[in-house]
């Protein structure tokens, strides 16, 4: 499978599938088209019998800044009661498709990796981050909880206490901290991210694929609660999406001002 759209490129070369976010001018923010294209690329790779490993990467300075808030504001203004339907219609199918890939997935991360971008990155099996990469959950800063399986992934990886701190406070954390906590496999110089991640993905593509498939099955059995977490996130985001605080916070974010939360 080789495919290219305005937002996502998918290529298979010698058993290695490379999926690249190509919306660099928007820091690879996830608008509707990007979510649809990324899901189609993941599903296409899953159906390609040649693929023995996947590299997920992105063009530009940032891996992914999460939901495209400019598009989201338009959806809120059009109908706040349905603006968060994207969680169930787009994010949850994408997260499930990434989780269900039967072969190893390596994620290359440069720059910002926040919100749903972080949730997507955590669906990889191994992550290679540039030393200058910055991470954050980001959701509470705009009056939301989480989606993209982030609540489940962080508790699984870090435990409830540290996950709570990252999700409630939304503070940024560095690549070094992510490595210390076990969220990334390797940290390299920013200019070496692509080469290091590709080298790792190539090693996996050339490795014992049948064994890797069984390892993935065993690991999925240890994180079987993801589907339930996705549904809980969907309900939470749909409720919060219509709140005053969320609408005001998104407007403040786009205006580059500090939001004032009123608690409703």
């Amino acid at each position: 499978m080789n495919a290219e759209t305005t937002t996502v490129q998918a290529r298979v070369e010698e058993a290695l599938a490379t999926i690249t976010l190509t919306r660099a001018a928007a820091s690879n923010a996830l608008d509707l088209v990007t979510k649809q294209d990324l899901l189609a690329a993941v599903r296409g790779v899953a159906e390609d019998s040649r693929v023995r490993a996947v590299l997920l990467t992105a063009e530009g300075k940032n891996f992914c800044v999460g939901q495209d808030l400019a598009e989201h504001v338009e959806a809120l203004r059009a109908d706040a009661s349905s603006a968060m339907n994207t969680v169930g219609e787009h994010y949850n199918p994408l997260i499930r498709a990434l989780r269900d890939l039967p072969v190893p997935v390596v994620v290359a991360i440069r720059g910002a990796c926040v919100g749903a971008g972080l949730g997507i990155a955590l669906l990889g099996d191994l992550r290679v981050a540039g030393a200058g990469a910055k991470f954050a959950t980001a959701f509470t800063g705009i009056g939301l909880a989480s989606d993209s399986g982030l609540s489940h992934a962080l508790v699984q990886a870090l435990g409830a206490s540290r996950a709570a701190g990252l999700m409630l406070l939304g503070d940024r954390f560095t690549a070094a901290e992510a490595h210390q906590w076990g969220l990334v496999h390797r940290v390299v110089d920013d200019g070496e991210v692509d080469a290091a991640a590709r080298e790792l993905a190539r090693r996996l593509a050339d490795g014992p694929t049948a064994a890797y498939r069984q390892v993935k099955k065993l690991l999925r059995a240890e994180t079987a609660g993801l589907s339930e977490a996705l549904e809980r996130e969907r309900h939470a985001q749909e409720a919060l999406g219509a709140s005053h605080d969320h609408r005001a916070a998104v407007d403040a974010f786009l205006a580059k001002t500090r939001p004032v939360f009123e608690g409703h």
Side-chain angles (χ1 to χ4, degrees):
M1 172 203 164
N2 291 324
E4 185 171 354
T5 69
T6 57
T7 68
V8 176
Q9 181 185 85
R11 292 284 184 270
V12 179
E13 296 177 337
E14 297 179 352
L16 174 60
T18 301
I19 299 175
T20 307
L21 296 171
T22 59
R23 199 171 178 233
S27 294
N28 297 303
L30 298 164
D31 64 355
L32 175 60
V33 173
T34 304
K35 286 178 277 192
Q36 292 174 329
D37 289 346
L38 183 54
L39 176 59
V42 173
R43 286 176 170 169
V45 164
E47 295 170 356
D48 192 327
S49 60
R50 298 173 297 167
V51 174
R52 297 170 59 189
V54 177
L55 173 62
L56 176 59
T57 185
E59 293 182 350
K61 296 180 179 179
N62 297 306
F63 174 71
C64 178
V65 296
Q67 172 65 37
D68 185 317
L69 291 183
E71 182 184 78
H72 182 58
V73 163
E74 294 179 4
L76 284 171
R77 291 172 179 167
D79 183 3
S81 66
S82 64
M84 298 307 297
N85 287 357
T86 188
V87 176
E89 294 175 2
H90 307 113
Y91 281 116
N92 287 3
L94 173 59
I95 295 305
R96 289 189 175 102
L98 284 167
R99 175 201 61 185
D100 291 342
L101 282 173
V103 296
V105 178
V106 177
V107 184
I109 303 168
R110 286 187 309 276
C113 179
V114 303
L118 177 57
I120 288 170
L122 292 178
L123 265 292
D125 299 295
L126 299 172
R127 284 160 291 282
V128 176
K134 300 294 183 183
F135 304 84
T137 58
F139 286 100
T140 56
I142 54 170
L144 293 175
S146 73
D147 53 46
S148 62
L150 192 56
S151 61
H152 183 266
L154 288 177
V155 171
Q156 287 284 324
L158 303 177
S161 179
R162 178 159 281 156
L166 293 178
M167 291 185 63
L168 291 171
L169 300 174
D171 293 339
R172 291 194 305 175
F173 55 99
T174 65
E177 289 171 319
H179 184 259
Q180 178 185 353
W181 300 339
L183 290 179
V184 301
H185 176 69
R186 185 182 301 172
V187 177
V188 299
D189 290 342
D190 290 330
E192 298 176 2
V193 172
D194 288 337
R198 182 166 294 279
E199 179 183 5
L200 193 57
R202 168 53 56 198
R203 174 181 167 186
L204 292 166
D206 293 339
T209 304
Y212 292 157
R213 288 176 183 270
Q214 292 301 322
V215 168
K216 293 265 293 192
K217 288 181 180 180
L218 293 171
L219 292 174
R220 279 201 299 270
E222 291 300 312
T223 58
L226 177 59
S227 290
E228 292 82 357
L230 290 174
E231 285 304 299
R232 289 194 296 270
E233 287 183 337
R234 179 177 67 83
H235 288 300
Q237 295 293 69
E238 287 178 355
L240 291 168
S243 70
H244 170 274
D245 275 353
H246 171 57
R247 294 195 301 273
V250 172
D251 287 338
F253 179 88
L254 294 176
K256 301 186 185 306
T257 60
R258 187 179 182 86
V260 176
F261 295 110
E262 298 180 6
H264 60 89

